[in-house]
Amino acid sequence: MKTVTRSTCCYCGVGCGVLIEAEHGRITGIAGDPDHPANFGRLCTKGRTLPLTVADHAGRALRPELRLTRDAVREPADWTVALDHVAARFADIIERDGPDAVAFYISGQLLTEDYYVFNKLAKGLIRTNNIDTNSRLCMSSAVSAYKKALGADGPPTCYEDLELAQTVLFAGSNMPYAHPVLFRRLEEAKARDPSIKWIVVDPRRTDLAALADLHLAITPGTDVALFNGMLHHMIWEGSIDPAYIAAHTSGFNELKSLVRGYTPSMAAEICGIAESDLLVAAQWFAASPAALSLYCMGLNQSSHGTDKNLALINLHLATGQIGKPGAGPFSLTGQPNAMGGREVGGMATMLAAHRDIANAEHRAQVEALWGVNGLSARPGLPAVDMFDALAEGKIKAVWIACTNPVHSMPDIERVRRALRTAEFVVVQEAFEQTDTVPYADVLLPAASWGEKSGTVTNSERRISRVRAAVEPPGEARADWWIVNEVARRLEARLSARQSEEAPNTHNDAGLFPFESPQAVFDEHRSLTIGRDLDIGALSYDVLERDGPQQWPFPAGRERGAARRYVDGTFATADGRARFHAPSYLPVAESVDARYPFRLLTGRLRDQWHGMSRTGRAGVLFNHAPQATLSMRREDAARRGLKEGELVTIASRRGRLVLPLETSDDLAPGTVFAAMHWSGQFLASGGINETTIGAVDPDSKQPELKHAAVRIEPAKLPWRLTAAKRGDVLALRAAVQPLLAERRYASIRVEADELIVVTAADIDADAAWTERLHDALGLARGDDLLEYRDPRRGRTQRIAWDAHFVDGFLLTGDTSPAAALIEQIRGETPWEGPRHAIVLLGGDTPQQRVRAPRDRVICNCKQVKQSQIEQAVAKGAALDELKSTLGCGTVCGSCVPEIKRLLTATTPA
Ligand SMILES: Nc1nc2c(c(=O)[nH]1)N[C@H]1C(S)=C(S)[C@@H](COP(=O)(O)OP(=O)(O)OC[C@H]3O[C@@H](n4cnc5c(=O)[nH]c(N)nc54)[C@H](O)[C@@H]3O)O[C@H]1N2
Ligand SMILES: Nc1nc2c(c(=O)[nH]1)N[C@H]1C(S)=C(S)[C@@H](COP(=O)(O)OP(=O)(O)OC[C@H]3O[C@@H](n4cnc5c(=O)[nH]c(N)nc54)[C@H](O)[C@@H]3O)O[C@H]1N2
Ligand code: SF4
Ligand SMILES: [Mo]
């Protein structure tokens, strides 16, 4: 029987409502929920392809596994054995070395209920504050700035403001890629009213920047100087709002004396932009009836992330652009439930419901609510410090859930060292193939999207239900359940000791009486009462009846509040917002003669983080098929580097090899790499081999965006290209263990049933080549045509399936690869003599690494760049492209890029 289940997309913080279709226990389809106020039925490429990522259970973590010693291989275990083991190891370590010898590293992708139980386990039962999350890499600068400036965490704005804003300042956000469905709302607003101004602050010329009315391509890391300079001009021109400042804020005079020094010309010089552009930005912002800023990782992931946020919030407070429709500082949340994690206080510096660990009154409140005594006042270690403490042996055990730190943390060699040193590592994961799983002593298989239920909070503080459409595969279990089970076991072991030290007051059911996510939610709600995020009137029943709701939503209200601080009363003790006076400070690591390039990192349109899910859908590779390093064309030319050439990217911490891609969108001296690729696709662990663990002093968020690097030719004369048609997940799993043995190796997913492996090294390694040959299954059919020239180190093997090429492996001269790949992809049988196929159009040297392919711009309708360019050359405009080619008519994710092709290709 076919079922339709209302739930929420598991990717970004937009929090789109989805309708999941399922049949016979399998998810078969998805549609946007037309009634969900975040998306009104829309979905982006990632959301639309979710069913493809769950179609197959191959590669899922399906049963608990454990090993008793480090050298052993993990063996499958029963849940009871695994849960008992985790509880026993944690209890032993806590008893031997104290509660701070254990740590939890969790995730903004957990549901609020999962998060709540983890937090209660760490802080309420174990009494350690060593619980931090990947939100430290993501939202923590936004959190610290909101708290410092407005008195409480969380954006004051709502999605409707996107439609009401007259000036939109995008700062360090690539919204068409990262928050696509919200971007659709902005596009529509601007199409209705072209007088709306878009200002983009981004060192790169992104698709968004290309669409902007004003692009401020600042020198990376200089945002504070920009915002201070804009404020200088506003004060000088009298475009601030003195009445608002006087009535609702404090600290303006200190700020004013600081920004006196930030003359627009000086600020523009620091930022590397034209002074006139800075002035225009200031005027558009201050004079606007409603100015909205949308900001994300370009501000947060910085060693001065809190200051960048504060300097931007200053602009809103000084001009009164806050607390009214269409205006305000709107921090876009990255992960689907980073907000929920903040609400339950699931970080090393927070307590439940926006309370602080450092605050004795807050601790007492939580003790009373939980019925415990002796909550720890010792601050917990934030992410980067937590892994360092593991490496130093100060923390002995870590439990990692729903995040992949061996890929996503800065300077990953430090993380690997930490996990190798740790005495006990638990990894709670939905998928088997991630870079962190190999370090697990215990692997706990988690249920995932479509299989679990609870709630998430999106960027506009809106709480939505997540519902299960099918049963989890194998023995996978919901995250909250797993934690709850270990917590109950640990409680039994620890309570004897604790009752001597600080007896608890809770009743006999213990701290973990939860039998369902709903029970967890109800307890979470009770902790919010009287706090800024009060959801006293909210329950699963209300969510069922009235749909998703925003907080605050205290008892007695009909619905949650769309905007906060509308009456100018802020969440500070005196109700006034606080100006802060941040000085511009340069990035943590300056470029120099040895490391002359500034490395920027960020996201691709169709991939999600470490790709454990998006990497399962072949179609999501169309837009960007493989990991590359982008460099400005002139910079590359000056160094004699060519498109497609392999380059080494080295920093003071680590190195990796990637093919070069040249670009006109980067400023001189900057390079860019996407964050997504990991050891699942590369010989290295990805770009975080090189990034820096320097953190913001306030938020402890690391500077993932600004390392200093050196780029040089990789000089790896031995080349291999191989391809095989077949089950991509199985082929990837077979090939992945071989990647790390070569100086460069990369898996590229060419199509739903085709992978390509490229490798390069100093010398040939015949044994490795044979293992790759076997892993690809090239030997399986008897129909293998082989040619070897050992003298010249050349091998050519072509596997045939009747008249079709099924796979190949070339070493030495790999130039026939591109034509062979086309042959595999194509539908025409090979008519000529078999040996002649390798003579097919040899490609040019730069295509040896990058296959010559036409990028698919529109994933929904599979429309390629060349088709769009040809139509544009004949004079087609956007509407005609849509009607003839169909591109941009389904999810719309490609429209910004199409518009860009239009301006680039339209004959003048
Ligand atoms: N497709 C896709 N969407 C996602 C995600 C994903 O993995 N894939 N992840 C989600 C998550 S968790 C997050 S946090 C968000 C991130 O969303 P965004 O922050 O929008 O994305 P990024 O590409 O990380 O970075 C945004 C921009 O910051 C710019 N930047 C770099 N340095 C600076 C600087 O010093 N100043 C300024 N002003 N800009 C700078 C970069 O050039 C980049 O274009 O995306 C969410 N949405
Ligand atoms: N260089 C660089 N590095 C970055 C960034 C950057 O811009 N540049 N961005 C940073 C940011 S903003 C973020 S948010 C992080 C993200 O980094 P990570 O948190 O490492 O990202 P994911 O790959 O999404 O990891 C989530 C993991 O949880 C697993 N999973 C999925 N569903 C479930 C579930 O229901 N339960 C459990 N237990 N597991 C599940 C997935 O398979 C996946 O392995 O990366 C950070 N790292
Ligand atoms: S914008 Fe895309 S990825 Fe984000 S929640 Fe919506 S459908 Fe999911
Ligand atoms: Mo993030």
Side-chain angles (χ1 to χ4, degrees), residues 254-296:
E254 291 86 328
L255 175 61
K256 193 172 166 188
S257 45
L258 174 92
V259 301
R260 192 164 292 136
Y262 286 84
T263 59
S265 71
M266 179 257 218
E269 197 180 318
I270 295 174
C271 298
I273 58 171
E275 182 187 346
S276 53
D277 284 349
L278 182 149
L279 301 182
V280 169
Q283 283 152 13
W284 283 356
F285 188 99
S288 178
L292 182 71
S293 48
L294 297 165
Y295 52 101
C296 205

Side-chain angles (χ1 to χ4, degrees), residues 9-16 18 39 42-48 50 178-182 608:
C9 174
C10 61
Y11 294 123
C12 82
V14 176
C16 295
V18 296
N39 58 317
R42 289 193 190 89
L43 295 177
C44 76
T45 39
K46 295 183 297 301
R48 280 171 46 82
L50 268 169
H179 298 91
V181 165
L182 288 187
W608 178 260

Side-chain angles (χ1 to χ4, degrees), residues 166 178 195 278 280 335 357 377 505 526 560 572 578 678 846 898 903:
Q166 288 296 310
S195 75
L278 182 149
V280 169
Q335 299 180 91
I357 284 166
T505 52
S526 69
T572 51
R578 301 259 181 286
S678 67
Q846 69 259 36
I898 298 176
T903 39

Side-chain angles (χ1 to χ4, degrees), residues 134-135 137-139 296-297 301 333-335 338 603 608-609:
N134 59 2
S135 289
L137 318 178
C138 183
M139 303 311 298
C296 205
M297 292 308 119
Q301 284 172 346
T333 323
Q335 299 180 91
R603 284 160 174 77
W608 178 260
H609 299 164

Side-chain angles (χ1 to χ4, degrees), residues 12-13 46 138-139 171-175 177-180 201-204 206 218-223 296-299 301 308 332-335 600-609 672 675-676 705-706:
C12 82
K46 295 183 297 301
C138 183
M139 303 311 298
S173 148
N174 188 12
M175 234 178 138
Y177 281 21
H179 298 91
V201 185
D202 195 310
R204 293 192 301 147
T206 56
I218 59 166
T219 300
T222 59
D223 303 77
C296 205
M297 292 308 119
L299 298 198
Q301 284 172 346
K308 287 180 171 192
L332 296 166
T333 323
Q335 299 180 91
L600 301 175
T601 66
R603 284 160 174 77
L604 295 173
R605 190 188 77 186
D606 292 349
Q607 295 295 350
W608 178 260
H609 299 164
F672 174 83
M675 65 159 299
H676 305 289
K705 288 220 178 321
H706 306 301

